[in-house]
């Protein structure tokens, strides 16, 4: 065999590897809750222990009014359920939920309101979900195209609670090449994310501050809620039926892979 044939053979084997890998990825797409529950959580780090029902929280109902930055940067809620030290004491003193739930901006921490949060019901407040039906749609997740909703001025969530600063503008677009043959590159836009998030929500814990330097960045982990999947799968739109959002040149996402199986 001459060198040329060997290199073609190598490319062919790599392509097969790419396809079978993609298949296994396709079949591991995690199940999704209905749109009105997507991003809803029931927090129980300390509630049950403290003799009250777990606290319900809905991302869609809050993100209409506040960017992620307000809660996950200013107020310092972790992007991981049951890890923030939220207590009744802190809330009553204006920390955490109490930054807004003070009886002025939103209902306060008084006896008649305990159950509005401590009801253990992940579907609490979903009757109001129809109020979002005027927003542009996207498959799965909340079925809301949150990017268009902001760009078209249909919602104007606050950037900061405590001051009037403008978020840092950073427009760098990153093209992340796949090591797998036949998979189109991922296009990551800082500008889109900057409308919702602070730099520190992603750097340095989730992503390297250097293009193509994040190790093990792959679909398998994204579907396990790591890397892009920290948000895309739990609060921001999930991968299912949205492949082309991140892989804009992918030809027949999903379909090819289902047929190949
Ligand atoms: C705006 C929502 C909200 C309201 C209103 C609220 N809580 Fe909470 N509370 C929370 C959250 C969130 C936590 C943290 C839950 C966890 O980690 O389990 C919490 C935690 C607690 C805890 C467990 C931690 C601790 O401090 O011991 C108790 C007990 C508690 N709340 C009691 C109350 C009582 C009593 C009321 C009404 C007077 C009340 N809460 C009103 C959201 C709320
Ligand atoms: C009004 C406050 C608030 C806003 C706004 C908010 N979050 Fe959260 N988020 C929370 C709280 C509270 C938790 C739970 C923290 C805990 O239990 O330790 C949470 C948890 C999360 C989690 C983990 C969920 C899980 O199932 O483990 C992710 C991911 C997340 N947020 C992403 C976002 C993104 C992305 C945005 C913006 C689109 C956003 N959040 C906006 C308050 C908020
Ligand atoms: C950045 C401000 C802000 C923070 C932080 C915040 N909320 Fe709210 N929340 C609001 C506003 C505004 C409303 C709507 C006004 C109202 O109902 O009084 C609301 C409404 C709610 C509702 C009622 C939803 C409905 O459909 O009736 C619940 C439940 C709730 N919040 C729980 C929480 C819990 C639990 C936390 C903390 C983990 C929290 N919120 C943190 C601003 C906030
Ligand atoms: C939130 C963004 C995002 C979405 C949505 C998304 N991907 Fe990916 N995907 C990535 C990133 C980042 C990588 C890793 C970098 C690369 O390989 O280009 C990747 C890599 C891949 C790879 C290469 C193998 C691997 O695991 O790295 C395949 C195949 C793939 N994605 C298929 C899909 C399919 C099919 C869908 C839709 C069901 C999808 N992706 C949706 C971000 C996304
Ligand atoms: C939603 C997540 C996210 C947010 C928020 C974010 N970045 Fe990034 N950033 C990334 C990813 C992903 C990469 C590419 C990493 C890789 O390819 O390994 C990156 C890469 C970078 C790079 C390297 C660029 C290059 O060409 O080498 C810089 C610099 C950077 N980010 C700065 C910032 C700054 C400044 C902010 C806030 C204004 C910010 N980032 C906010 C996800 C984010
Ligand atoms: C910290 C949370 C977070 C992480 C991590 C994150 N994103 Fe996002 N992303 C968002 C939010 C919030 C939006 C707004 C849309 C939504 O919520 O559905 C968004 C929107 C997008 C969009 C839509 C752009 C448009 O023009 O409509 C793309 C594409 C995207 N993200 C790709 C990625 C890729 C690729 C990665 C990983 C390299 C990533 N994101 C990591 C939170 C995140």
């Amino acid at each position: 065999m001459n060198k040329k044939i060997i290199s073609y053979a190598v490319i062919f084997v790599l392509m097969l590897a790419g396809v079978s890998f993609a298949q296994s990825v396709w079949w591991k797409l995690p199940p999704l809750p209905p749109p009105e529950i997507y991003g809803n959580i029931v927090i129980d780090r300390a509630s049950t222990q403290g003799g009250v029902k777990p606290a319900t929280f809905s991302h869609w109902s809050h993100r209409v009014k506040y960017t992620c930055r307000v809660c996950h940067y200013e107020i310092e809620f972790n992007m991981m359920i049951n890890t923030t030290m939220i207590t009744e004491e802190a809330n009553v003193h204006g920390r955490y939920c109490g930054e807004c739930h003070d009886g002025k901006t939103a209902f306060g921490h008084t006896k008649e309101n305990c159950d509005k949060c401590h009801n253990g019901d992940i579907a609490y407040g979903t009757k109001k979900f129809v109020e979002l039906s005027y927003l542009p749609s996207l498959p799965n997740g909340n079925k809301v195209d949150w990017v268009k909703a902001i760009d078209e001025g249909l919602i104007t969530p606050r950037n900061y609670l405590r001051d009037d600063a403008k978020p840092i503008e950073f427009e760098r677009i990153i093209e992340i090449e796949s090591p797998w043959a036949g998979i189109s590159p991922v296009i990551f836009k800082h500008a889109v994310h900057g409308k919702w998030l602070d730099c520190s929500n992603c750097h340095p814990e989730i992503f390297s501050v250097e293009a193509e330097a994040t190790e093990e960045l792959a679909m398998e982990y994204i579907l396990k809620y790591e890397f892009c999947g920290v948000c895309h799968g739990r609060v921001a739109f999930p991968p299912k039926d949205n492949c082309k959002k991140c892989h804009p040149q992918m030809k027949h996402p999903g379909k090819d892979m289902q047929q190949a199986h």
Side-chain angles (χ1 to χ4, degrees):
M1 271 201 281
N2 67 30
K3 268 192 180 151
K4 208 169 174 186
I5 294 175
I6 292 175
S7 63
Y8 276 132
V10 167
I11 289 170
F12 183 69
V13 168
L14 281 176
M15 277 171 72
L16 283 180
V19 168
S20 65
F21 191 83
Q23 274 172 21
S24 64
V25 160
W26 175 249
W27 289 103
K28 271 188 243 149
L29 284 183
L32 290 165
E36 69 276 14
I37 308 281
Y38 186 78
N40 282 18
I41 51 178
V42 171
I43 308 171
D44 195 11
R45 185 191 59 84
S47 295
T48 303
Q49 252 181 317
V52 287
K53 283 191 183 165
T56 185
F57 176 82
S58 149
H59 271 96
W60 60 258
S61 83
H62 286 85
R63 72 180 292 188
V64 169
K65 301 189 186 85
Y66 306 96
T67 58
C68 329
R69 185 187 289 113
V70 166
C71 288
H72 291 290
Y73 170 68
E74 273 190 299
I75 302 182
E76 295 178 301
F77 286 118
N78 299 326
M79 276 193 187
M80 170 86 79
I81 192 170
N82 297 335
T83 59
T84 314
M85 299 295 167
I86 313 166
T87 59
E88 165 71 351
E89 161 106 11
N91 276 338
V92 168
H93 286 90
R95 272 293 282 151
Y96 300 119
C97 317
E99 297 237 9
C100 304
H101 288 276
D102 56 0
K104 283 179 245 145
T105 306
F107 61 83
H109 279 73
T110 45
K111 266 243 148 63
E112 68 277 13
N113 290 332
C114 307
D115 293 353
K116 286 190 184 161
C117 295
H118 291 286
N119 52 47
D121 179 7
I122 199 162
Y124 183 80
T126 48
K127 277 189 298 264
K128 291 188 189 154
F129 189 69
V130 289
E131 289 171 16
L132 300 191
S133 56
Y134 74 102
L135 298 175
S137 70
L138 213 64
N140 304 316
N142 298 125
K143 298 210 170 169
V144 170
D145 188 330
W146 292 104
V147 175
K148 265 199 197 154
I150 260 199
D151 286 349
E152 293 172 7
L154 298 168
I155 56 168
T156 47
R158 279 184 73 158
N159 284 314
Y160 297 97
L161 209 56
R162 298 175 195 152
D163 64 63
D164 247 348
K166 274 206 126 196
I168 308 168
E169 282 186 28
F170 188 66
E171 311 256 303
R172 186 81 50 91
I173 294 174
I174 314 244
E175 197 171 317
I176 309 170
E177 294 287 344
S178 179
W180 297 94
I183 297 301
S184 67
V186 166
I187 310 292
F188 177 86
K189 294 180 184 160
H190 274 93
V192 172
H193 290 86
K195 292 201 174 141
W196 295 98
L197 296 150
D198 186 79
C199 316
S200 65
N201 290 130
C202 289
H203 297 301
E205 259 183 52
I206 307 180
F207 299 110
S208 158
V209 197
E210 199 184 310
E212 307 224 39
T214 305
E215 283 170 34
E216 300 196 350
L217 179 55
M219 212 56 215
E220 184 188 353
Y221 300 110
I222 292 172
L223 296 175
K224 288 179 184 152
Y225 310 106
E226 291 178 50
F227 303 111
C228 319
V230 168
C231 301
H232 292 282
R234 288 201 157 127
V235 176
F237 68 80
K240 190 167 192 272
D241 300 326
N242 288 313
C243 315
K244 285 177 80 123
K245 280 261 159 215
C246 295
H247 302 270
Q249 296 156 42
M250 202 178 257
K251 291 235 170 58
H252 305 288
K255 202 162 149 236
D256 284 357
M257 288 174 214
Q258 264 179 327
Q259 277 170 354
H261 204 84

